[in-house]
Amino acid sequence: MNLETKTGGSARYRGKKRPRMCSENAKRGQGKTSRGSRGRAGGRQGHVKAVTLFEVVTMGRSAMQTVIDDWIETYVMDRDSALLDLISFFIQCSGCKGKHTHNTHTLIYYLQYSYSPGSLFPPFLFTGVVTAEMCQSNRAQDCCDILSSMVEELDEDSGLQYKKFVAFPWILTVTWPMDMDCVEYPLIQSGPYGRWFHSEFGDFMSVLVSQCQHSVVFDGYLMSALVSLLTELSDSCVRAFRHTCTLAAVKILSSLVAVALSLSAAMENSQKLHGVERRKTSGRQSSPRLDRIKKKIAELQEKRSEIENIMDTIFKGVFLKRYRDVLPEIRSMCTEELCSWMKLYSVAFLNDSYLKYIGWMMHDKIPEVRLKCVLGLQGLYGDPLLLAKLDLFTSRFKNRLISMTLDRDNEVAVQAMKLLIVISKSCEDVLQEEDYKQLYQFVYSSQRHLATLAGELLYSRLLNVSAPDSQDQEGACEGAREQDVHTEWTMVRLRALLTFYMQSELHKHVVYLVDSLWDCAGDLLKDWPTLTYILLQEPTPQSTGLTEAEQAVVVEILVASVRQAAEGPALVGRSGGKKVSSAKERKIQLDNSAKLTKHFLTTLPKLLSKFSGHWDVMASLMKIPQYFLPECPAAENTEVTSEELMTEMGAVVDHPSGPPGVLEAVSRTYLHLCGEDTAWHTAACSARDTLVHRWKDRLISQLGDALKDYTFCADNDKTGEMLSTLRKLRAFYNGHDLSQWDLFELLSPLLSVGCLQGGVPTEVMLEVLRCLYHAVLWNLHTSGKTLTSQEKAVVQREQLSAFCEMSYRCLSHSDDSIKEQAFLGVCDILAAHSYQLLVWEPTSCGLLPYTASPELQRALLTFLLEQVFVGPDSDAHSRGETSSHIGHTSEVERLEDHHKRRTLLAAYCKLLVHGVLEISMASGVFMHYTKYYNDFGDIIKETLYRTRQTDKIGSARTLLLCLQELYVRLKQEQQCGGGGQPGVQTFTSIKELARRFALTFGDPMKFRESITMIHRSGIEFVFNRSVQSPDAESPPYLTYLTILSEFSSKLLMPDKKTLFCFLQRQTADHAVNLREDCWQPLMYYRASLLATAGEGEDRRPHPPNRSAYANKHQGQCSPVNSRCSKSHKASVASSLPEDRTEAESSPVSTDPPLLPPPRTEATVTEGLHHVSSKETGDEIVEVDL
């Protein structure tokens, strides 16, 4: 319904805006709108023009009051006409258009809606009709008799529904079509207008009741008619009436609540006055003033009783029917208003009879309705005066409130947590300890807002311990005493936090716990001096101190708080935080970074010294310098403190048994401290270079003892020392450029000996491979600065070639970990070299190109097929069918193996995308597209699209090669009588793969040449590339045409004609008899080319009947597809230039000499029927032929 469109040929209700005395349209000439009203009315100046009640909604609250006052005056003089104006207002707000009939007491309104396809009505603008007629009888009892005989009727022939009801003295008739949900009315209009109209409409109802509360509300006429009208229309099948009038009814009830409250306040004041007057007149006869007060109290009680009766009528007539409405907006609106009634007028509404509806609606399937329930309950539980009436509701629905914290809607879960926090503060005995334990776990939630609220609850229950009062001391003892008290208070809170974390068995993520508590417990978490003092404090007889496990947790909390202060609340896996920080937040973050830098420059060396040998603690502590402020003016004696820190870090990293995690953390710390903009750049670089030089000298000595006569002869002790040195070099090589120490030439002989002679331990081989990988990668990364001559470019290419050659040898190693490292290393190096060639400036001395040898390319593909495409396929995983060797494997190991396989496949596909490998090498990957679609489908699909952007024809040839390889394997397997090898796919799966490949081609015009090439090459593969035996009735690869027909839907009509002529020439040398079963695939393929777009769609042919053919040729492939493909729309375009003459000279209707008479698509499929056949691989399929 469009409010701005007039009904055809009908006049507006207000006509020509002609003023009349006894109507709402009669405005006094002196009345003027306010500034805001004039603005909303389109800038009207001077006198207010005659407007309807509906139009005044758009003019602001002040204009509403003026117009409603005038309407009240009109109602006093002629209440029937004024009531008709109010009825027309509700009808118009529902999106109707109206006009006067010749009878001045009759009104007709139209509901317009657009015709929707598939409905019972013809395609023109159809209108529902609302008519209002004056009842001929003046008695309400007669109207009640009329009402009892009025029912809702349905005329199935016309598709219309009729409904009559009485709003005394008016009889309203509503006629509407059965399909009216497509109507658009003001409340549901998109954009800001719909929200604004909803607000203004509610204000209008509030102003109406407010202005009438002292007069016509209690006349027994207006509210009776209004309630009757809204009750009937809110029960209408028309969505516009039901939504609009339900909103009007609940808003009127909300306004009546305000009236009842004012009456209650007046009664209370009158009763107080009555008590005062009685004390004055005690012992005397009642005075006239006291009688007047009693009479006033009785009148107020009567009025309040009448208002409550009206509210009860609206509640039973509207709310009880609409709170379960099918429209979520209506349910949400009813729930919101009911909560407001309970809070404002708790005397009448806050009881279990009404609270049960809130409890029921908390199970609504729409999040908005559940949200309104929770928001309303927050207001109820937040008022201490209302808690006594919520006991039964709380005990009944407590479990539901707790479970709503797990709501799928984030906002509902957040507001439910807020509600539980309010309940915990106001009703301490409601939530039990088990409930709190369940709520505490939300500090690890992925939603930061929810986690922060759970942290607030945790802090208020466990960590909000009041600080003890320190006794007043004189002199220096006073400060020491305060420090001891603060340390003791911090220790108590810290132990509570440690107890919670260590007893939490579900999660072990300290960073998420710190982030959840950051806003409420920041004073504890940022108290780094006290925390480090507790860590450095030695246990005494008076205090046991912290255990080693507790100290490790405190260190993790310390590191997490440092990260939070330096970087903010940005955590991986947690959403809902602020993406952009304000200037104030950045200033606070900068101050925190300066404070932690100043503190830990002096404290961190002491911590490293105390926890020496505790590697988990050391790995955490070594992360702290990574958050230092590069230039910290507050740090005193920077050179001295940095030297102490470098000394301790050197002792940690030079330890012979340092684990990889500690080495990685120290390497990252040195990378941060060696930055050119840091104050300790010189000291850090000097310390790092000293360590690397020491390790190189040590490695030279170890290699001299281990390598003798090209054999590895080191014992276990020397091997362990060498492995320790290699791990340190590899850890630093990962983040630092160590090219100046020439480690590639130093380690290459060791890897060569391990590949050729053997005897080198696997761990040593892995570390050497990683070091050489980092050496080549750094050489490529810095080639823009180091390559200044052609000789250096030749040396770099030789180094790259040597690494690829050694990696090629490692691919044939017996250990899988060495083969995986060699595979990943050579893939990354070749991809980086390809990228450097693209970005290199042609004017400078650039890189020399390097192409991987065919042997290396085949070795990479072989390794990929052996390591990735093995085991059960993804379809088996989706059905829960796992093999015996995976059945006993844990879920974690299976996921890790799946991640490793995806990493290997992605590394190989990068080479295909960047053109490092020949595009034909992708056929081994593409052939597993459907079999492993759930596991690797996204990677293979992206590779297919990227390679097609580079080379359309080459990518199409690869797809064709993939299908032909699979088909030939299947033919060979069937000829040999094999039992189904793992690498052989069934005919159905090959056909499905071809269908998936065809779907990847989008616009047929864009890929016209590629699709045509696939068909031409496929036809040549069937008739020219296969050797037919003399006794064979058809070419051996003829069933391949069934697979090729999957690409026919992507052909343009001119190309279909050209390919059909090409197919006729290819079959000219064969004795083709389409009536024999062996030639059914050819008939099926011809039908796919003969499909036309005569009916608007390119219809796919049905597969041929192959039952007799299958029984006769058991060893051949089946041409039948297991499903009927959907129709595809045909694209019409000009024919290919090189085939235009050929197509014109050889029309489609002309057959070669040996072919039978041409048959249309109807005759091709004539006589074919529904058959069931057994597919290769024992699959039973039903085919609609």
Side-chain angles (χ1 to χ4, degrees):
M1 288 172 281
N2 190 347
L3 290 174
E4 303 298 332
T5 306
K6 295 183 179 180
T7 55
S10 63
R12 295 290 296 244
Y13 162 68
R14 54 190 173 90
K16 298 181 180 180
K17 300 181 181 179
R18 177 173 50 86
R20 57 190 179 91
M21 291 303 297
C22 297
S23 174
E24 65 171 352
N25 297 329
K27 289 296 178 84
R28 289 186 295 268
Q30 290 80 11
K32 297 184 179 181
T33 61
S34 64
R35 183 181 306 175
S37 303
R38 289 197 302 267
R40 291 188 178 182
R44 296 182 177 93
Q45 302 293 335
H47 300 285
V48 178
K49 296 182 179 180
V51 293
T52 63
L53 290 176
F54 173 72
E55 290 172 340
V56 81
V57 175
T58 64
M59 300 173 63
R61 192 178 184 93
S62 60
M64 292 179 192
Q65 295 177 353
T66 303
V67 174
I68 289 176
D69 289 340
D70 293 343
W71 178 85
I72 293 174
E73 295 177 3
T74 304
Y75 177 82
V76 172
M77 292 183 291
D78 186 2
R79 62 182 185 180
D80 293 340
S81 177
L83 182 60
L84 185 61
D85 291 336
L86 191 58
I87 293 175
S88 67
F89 166 75
F90 290 112
I91 301 300
Q92 284 179 298
C93 289
S94 300
C96 302
K97 303 296 180 181
K99 69 174 183 179
H100 279 290
T101 60
H102 295 292
N103 183 1
T104 57
H105 292 289
T106 303
L107 224 67
I108 300 179
Y109 283 88
Y110 298 91
L111 290 86
Q112 297 182 350
Y113 83 105
S114 300
Y115 165 77
S116 58
S119 64
L120 300 176
F121 310 108
F124 56 81
L125 196 66
F126 195 86
T127 59
V129 182
V130 180
T131 60
E133 298 177 335
M134 177 70 73
C135 181
Q136 299 301 325
S137 176
N138 293 327
R139 294 192 306 151
Q141 182 62 35
D142 296 338
C143 291
C144 293
D145 297 337
I146 297 173
L147 178 62
S148 62
S149 63
M150 293 180 179
V151 294
E152 187 172 328
E153 299 178 357
L154 171 64
D155 187 356
E156 296 183 356
D157 296 334
S158 61
L160 298 177
Q161 299 181 72
Y162 305 90
K163 185 174 184 178
K164 283 187 176 182
F165 59 92
V166 174
F168 186 81
W170 296 100
I171 301 177
L172 273 71
T173 303
V174 183
T175 305
W176 70 93
M178 290 186 293
D179 185 14
M180 280 295 294
D181 283 341
C182 56
V183 178
E184 182 174 307
Y185 50 97
L187 285 179
I188 64 170
Q189 285 189 2
S190 59
Y193 176 79
R195 297 188 298 270
W196 172 79
F197 184 84
H198 185 283
S199 175
E200 295 294 328
F201 184 74
D203 292 343
F204 181 87
M205 304 311 302
S206 176
V207 172
L208 176 64
V209 176
S210 177
Q211 298 296 100
C212 297
Q213 64 176 329
H214 301 295
S215 55
V216 297
V217 168
F218 304 100
D219 65 350
Y221 182 86
L222 173 64
M223 296 307 299
S224 177
L226 191 58
V227 171
S228 176
L229 170 70
L230 297 179
T231 302
E232 293 295 335
L233 287 181
S234 64
D235 197 27
S236 172
C237 294
V238 181
R239 175 180 175 179
F241 286 151
R242 194 170 70 252
H243 191 183
T244 306
C245 293
T246 301
L247 176 60
V250 295
K251 289 297 183 182
I252 287 177
L253 200 155
S254 299
S255 302
L256 292 176
V257 166
V259 175
L261 289 175
S262 64
L263 292 174
S264 299
M267 283 181 57
E268 184 178 356
N269 295 333
S270 299
Q271 289 174 353
K272 291 180 180 179
L273 185 60
H274 179 267
V276 173
E277 191 66 26
R278 285 189 60 183
R279 285 193 296 269
K280 290 182 179 180
T281 60
S282 59
R284 294 182 297 172
Q285 296 181 353
S286 59
S287 63
R289 178 178 175 81
L290 189 60
D291 294 338
R292 288 195 301 269
I293 295 176
K294 290 181 179 180
K295 183 178 180 181
K296 182 178 180 181
I297 293 175
E299 292 177 356
L300 292 175
Q301 289 178 343
E302 183 180 357
K303 288 184 178 181
R304 189 177 68 173
S305 177
E306 184 177 352
I307 291 296
E308 290 179 351
N309 291 334
I310 296 174
M311 291 191 296
D312 186 65
T313 303
I314 295 177
F315 184 86
K316 293 179 179 179
V318 178
F319 181 88
L320 291 183
K321 297 179 181 179
R322 298 278 66 82
Y323 85 97
R324 294 181 299 175
D325 195 276
V326 68
L327 195 64
E329 290 83 354
I330 296 179
R331 302 200 302 270
S332 174
M333 176 177 57
C334 292
T335 305
E336 182 181 10
E337 295 299 326
L338 177 59
C339 292
S340 67
W341 304 335
M342 291 179 179
K343 183 173 178 59
L344 295 176
Y345 200 41
S346 58
V347 176
F349 287 98
L350 189 57
N351 54 62
D352 298 329
S353 299
Y354 294 96
L355 283 170
K356 64 182 180 182
Y357 301 112
I358 302 298
W360 294 343
M361 297 308 292
M362 287 193 300
H363 296 81
D364 196 277
K365 63 181 179 180
I366 302 299
E368 183 183 358
V369 181
R370 302 194 299 270
L371 180 62
K372 295 298 183 182
C373 294
V374 176
L375 292 176
L377 290 175
Q378 288 180 10
L380 296 179
Y381 280 99
D383 191 348
L385 301 177
L386 306 179
L387 295 178
K389 299 182 179 182
L390 296 171
D391 293 339
L392 182 60
F393 174 83
T394 304
S395 61
R396 173 64 179 82
F397 294 101
K398 184 189 72 171
N399 294 333
R400 175 55 185 164
L401 292 175
I402 296 175
S403 65
M404 290 183 73
T405 55
L406 297 171
D407 198 281
R408 67 177 62 184
D409 187 80
N410 296 330
E411 186 62 23
V412 175
V414 168
Q415 296 301 330
M417 181 63 73
K418 287 184 178 180
L419 174 59
L420 291 172
I421 292 176
V422 173
I423 294 176
S424 67
K425 294 179 179 179
S426 58
C427 310
E428 296 182 357
D429 56 342
V430 171
L431 298 177
Q432 305 299 325
E433 190 63 29
E434 295 298 327
D435 300 331
Y436 282 116
K437 289 182 180 180
Q438 181 179 349
L439 297 176
Y440 291 159
Q441 298 301 322
F442 283 96
V443 295
Y444 304 104
S445 173
S446 60
Q447 296 295 326
R448 189 177 189 275
H449 199 179
L450 181 61
T452 303
L453 291 173
E456 180 183 345
L457 178 63
L458 175 64
Y459 177 80
S460 62
R461 296 286 302 178
L462 300 181
L463 306 180
N464 191 16
V465 181
S466 59
D469 296 333
S470 60
Q471 298 179 359
D472 295 335
Q473 302 288 338
E474 296 181 358
C477 297
E478 183 179 357
R481 177 60 181 172
E482 291 180 356
Q483 181 64 31
D484 294 340
V485 170
H486 178 73
T487 303
E488 181 181 356
W489 178 51
T490 304
M491 190 68 177
V492 173
R493 303 168 69 194
L494 186 61
R495 284 189 181 276
L497 182 59
L498 291 175
T499 302
F500 163 75
Y501 176 77
M502 300 182 72
Q503 290 179 354
S504 177
E505 300 177 356
L506 298 177
H507 306 279
K508 297 295 181 182
H509 305 291
V510 175
V511 290
Y512 295 97
L513 175 61
V514 170
D515 182 46
S516 302
L517 294 172
W518 190 254
D519 295 338
C520 55
D523 58 335
L524 172 64
L525 298 175
K526 288 190 291 186
D527 192 3
W528 300 306
T530 306
L531 294 177
T532 52
Y533 174 78
I534 293 174
L535 288 173
L536 294 174
Q537 186 180 14
E538 296 294 338
T540 61
Q542 292 78 14
S543 61
T544 57
L546 300 175
T547 63
E548 292 186 0
E550 291 176 341
Q551 288 178 348
V553 176
V554 172
V555 169
E556 292 185 20
I557 294 175
L558 188 67
V559 175
S561 64
V562 169
R563 187 216 67 83
Q564 187 85 7
E567 294 185 350
L571 284 177
V572 177
R574 173 164 286 184
S575 59
K578 296 178 63 175
K579 296 182 179 180
V580 179
S581 301
S582 61
K584 182 180 180 180
E585 292 173 341
R586 290 194 296 270
K587 179 64 169 58
I588 295 175
Q589 183 176 336
L590 187 63
D591 295 340
N592 291 333
S593 299
K595 291 179 182 178
L596 70 90
T597 303
K598 179 182 178 181
H599 173 71
F600 284 103
L601 271 176
T602 57
T603 309
L604 186 58
K606 301 177 183 178
L607 293 173
L608 293 175
S609 177
K610 178 179 179 179
F611 293 101
S612 178
H614 299 76
W615 298 116
D616 294 338
V617 178
M618 298 291 289
S620 300
L621 289 175
M622 290 309 304
K623 298 177 182 178
I624 294 179
Q626 300 175 19
Y627 305 107
F628 283 178
L629 195 63
E631 296 181 357
C632 182
E636 300 177 357
N637 300 324
T638 303
E639 296 182 358
V640 177
T641 53
S642 60
E643 289 291 343
E644 296 177 359
L645 179 60
M646 300 306 164
T647 302
E648 292 295 336
M649 291 173 57
V652 171
V653 75
D654 206 23
H655 197 280
S657 59
V662 176
L663 298 177
E664 184 70 23
V666 175
S667 175
R668 291 180 179 273
T669 299
Y670 269 108
L671 182 62
H672 176 77
L673 298 179
C674 291
E676 297 180 357
D677 56 342
T678 60
W680 38 82
H681 166 73
T682 305
C685 290
S686 176
R688 180 199 61 186
D689 295 345
T690 302
L691 288 173
V692 175
H693 191 75
R694 184 190 310 162
W695 294 335
K696 179 185 177 182
D697 294 342
R698 188 182 304 169
L699 184 61
I700 292 174
S701 175
Q702 293 168 351
L703 289 176
D705 297 338
L707 291 179
K708 295 180 179 179
D709 298 331
Y710 295 101
T711 57
F712 187 84
C713 56
D715 56 8
N716 292 336
D717 295 338
K718 293 183 179 180
T719 301
E721 295 175 0
M722 181 185 300
L723 183 61
S724 177
T725 306
L726 288 173
R727 285 174 176 171
K728 296 170 184 176
L729 288 172
R730 189 261 304 171
F732 272 70
Y733 227 149
N734 190 23
H736 305 264
D737 184 13
L738 307 182
S739 302
Q740 55 179 326
W741 284 278
D742 297 329
L743 296 179
F744 187 89
E745 288 75 11
L746 181 63
L747 297 176
S748 296
L750 180 59
L751 186 60
S752 299
V753 170
C755 295
L756 298 176
Q757 303 296 332
V760 181
T762 301
E763 293 83 359
V764 176
M765 288 277 291
L766 285 174
E767 296 301 332
V768 171
L769 262 176
R770 291 164 183 164
C771 288
L772 295 181
Y773 161 75
H774 289 303
V776 178
L777 201 60
W778 274 108
N779 197 357
L780 290 174
H781 179 69
T782 59
S783 56
K785 300 178 181 179
T786 58
L787 292 186
T788 57
S789 63
Q790 189 70 15
E791 290 77 9
K792 292 184 178 181
V794 172
V795 172
Q796 186 191 55
R797 188 177 67 173
E798 291 177 353
Q799 186 185 85
L800 177 62
S801 177
F803 177 80
C804 292
E805 181 65 25
M806 288 184 288
S807 299
Y808 169 71
R809 294 173 183 173
C810 290
L811 288 174
S812 58
H813 199 274
S814 59
D815 189 82
D816 290 340
S817 59
I818 294 179
K819 291 192 290 186
E820 291 175 6
Q821 181 60 41
F823 178 85
L824 293 174
V826 74
C827 288
D828 290 345
I829 292 299
L830 292 177
H833 180 264
S834 174
Y835 175 76
Q836 291 293 336
L837 290 176
L838 291 177
V839 301
W840 197 265
E841 297 181 1
T843 57
S844 60
C845 180
L847 294 169
L848 296 179
Y850 173 79
T851 303
S853 62
E855 293 81 7
L856 178 59
Q857 297 188 28
R858 288 193 296 269
L860 292 175
L861 180 59
T862 303
F863 173 82
L864 185 75
L865 298 178
E866 292 177 352
Q867 298 293 327
V868 176
F869 301 108
V870 292
D873 54 44
S874 58
D875 293 336
H877 280 297
S878 62
R879 296 190 302 265
E881 302 171 359
T882 54
S883 59
S884 59
H885 72 280
I886 291 183
H888 58 80
T889 305
S890 65
E891 183 68 16
V892 176
E893 294 178 354
R894 190 188 69 82
L895 293 176
E896 290 179 354
D897 179 71
H898 180 254
H899 176 70
K900 181 187 69 175
R901 292 163 65 189
R902 285 179 60 88
T903 302
L904 295 175
L905 179 61
Y908 184 82
C909 290
K910 283 192 299 185
L911 302 182
L912 297 173
V913 171
H914 292 290
V916 177
L917 302 180
E918 297 179 1
I919 195 171
S920 60
M921 303 298 293
S923 62
V925 176
F926 293 161
M927 66 175 56
H928 298 92
Y929 180 51
T930 56
K931 186 176 181 181
Y932 294 90
Y933 183 79
N934 291 340
D935 291 334
F936 315 116
D938 54 341
I939 300 177
I940 300 176
K941 189 175 183 180
E942 185 65 21
T943 305
L944 180 60
Y945 283 135
R946 294 289 186 89
T947 53
R948 184 174 294 166
Q949 293 175 1
T950 305
D951 185 3
K952 294 181 182 179
I953 300 299
S955 177
R957 291 186 185 278
T958 304
L959 299 182
L960 185 64
L961 176 62
C962 171
L963 295 174
Q964 292 176 359
E965 286 181 357
L966 292 175
Y967 180 80
V968 171
R969 287 183 191 177
L970 179 60
K971 293 288 293 183
Q972 293 175 354
E973 179 69 18
Q974 290 180 342
Q975 291 174 1
C976 297
Q981 298 297 326
V984 179
Q985 301 186 23
T986 63
F987 186 86
T988 303
S989 61
I990 299 175
K991 197 169 186 294
E992 174 65 17
L993 180 62
R995 188 185 71 85
R996 294 284 187 93
F997 285 163
L999 292 177
T1000 59
F1001 292 96
D1003 186 9
M1005 181 63 69
K1006 184 178 180 181
F1007 301 100
R1008 182 179 185 182
E1009 186 178 358
S1010 301
I1011 298 296
T1012 306
M1013 185 275 300
I1014 290 176
H1015 281 272
R1016 285 180 175 272
S1017 301
I1019 295 173
E1020 293 175 354
F1021 171 75
V1022 172
F1023 294 101
N1024 297 339
R1025 299 181 187 176
S1026 59
V1027 180
Q1028 181 177 356
S1029 58
D1031 56 343
E1033 300 180 3
S1034 62
Y1037 294 166
L1038 187 64
T1039 52
Y1040 181 78
L1041 292 177
T1042 306
I1043 299 175
L1044 190 62
S1045 63
E1046 294 293 335
F1047 296 92
S1048 299
S1049 61
K1050 296 296 181 179
L1051 284 170
L1052 300 178
M1053 290 307 301
D1055 298 339
K1056 287 186 177 182
K1057 297 179 182 179
T1058 303
L1059 288 172
F1060 184 81
C1061 297
F1062 179 74
L1063 177 64
Q1064 288 179 325
R1065 291 197 303 271
Q1066 294 295 324
T1067 58
D1069 298 337
H1070 299 269
V1072 179
N1073 186 4
L1074 294 181
R1075 301 187 183 277
E1076 296 183 2
D1077 292 335
C1078 61
W1079 291 98
Q1080 290 291 310
L1082 177 60
M1083 182 182 69
Y1084 181 46
Y1085 182 63
R1086 287 185 64 214
S1088 68
L1089 296 179
L1090 287 172
T1092 60
E1095 297 180 1
E1097 294 182 351
D1098 186 8
R1099 296 179 297 171
R1100 295 283 304 277
H1102 295 291
N1105 185 350
R1106 63 173 182 88
S1107 57
Y1109 178 75
N1111 296 330
K1112 185 176 180 180
H1113 302 273
Q1114 295 290 338
Q1116 297 190 14
C1117 301
S1118 170
V1120 182
N1121 188 8
S1122 61
R1123 64 171 58 90
C1124 295
S1125 303
K1126 296 180 180 180
S1127 301
H1128 298 273
K1129 292 185 178 180
S1131 301
V1132 181
S1134 58
S1135 60
L1136 291 174
E1138 58 271 17
D1139 296 328
R1140 184 179 300 169
T1141 306
E1142 180 181 279
E1144 292 176 355
S1145 60
S1146 302
V1148 179
S1149 58
T1150 304
D1151 292 323
L1154 297 180
L1155 291 179
R1159 302 197 293 177
T1160 62
E1161 184 179 0
T1163 58
V1164 166
T1165 58
E1166 183 179 359
L1168 301 181
H1169 55 279
H1170 201 79
V1171 298
S1172 298
S1173 59
K1174 188 172 184 179
E1175 194 57 82
T1176 304
D1178 298 333
E1179 295 182 359
I1180 304 299
V1181 295
E1182 290 187 357
V1183 186
D1184 187 11
L1185 298 177

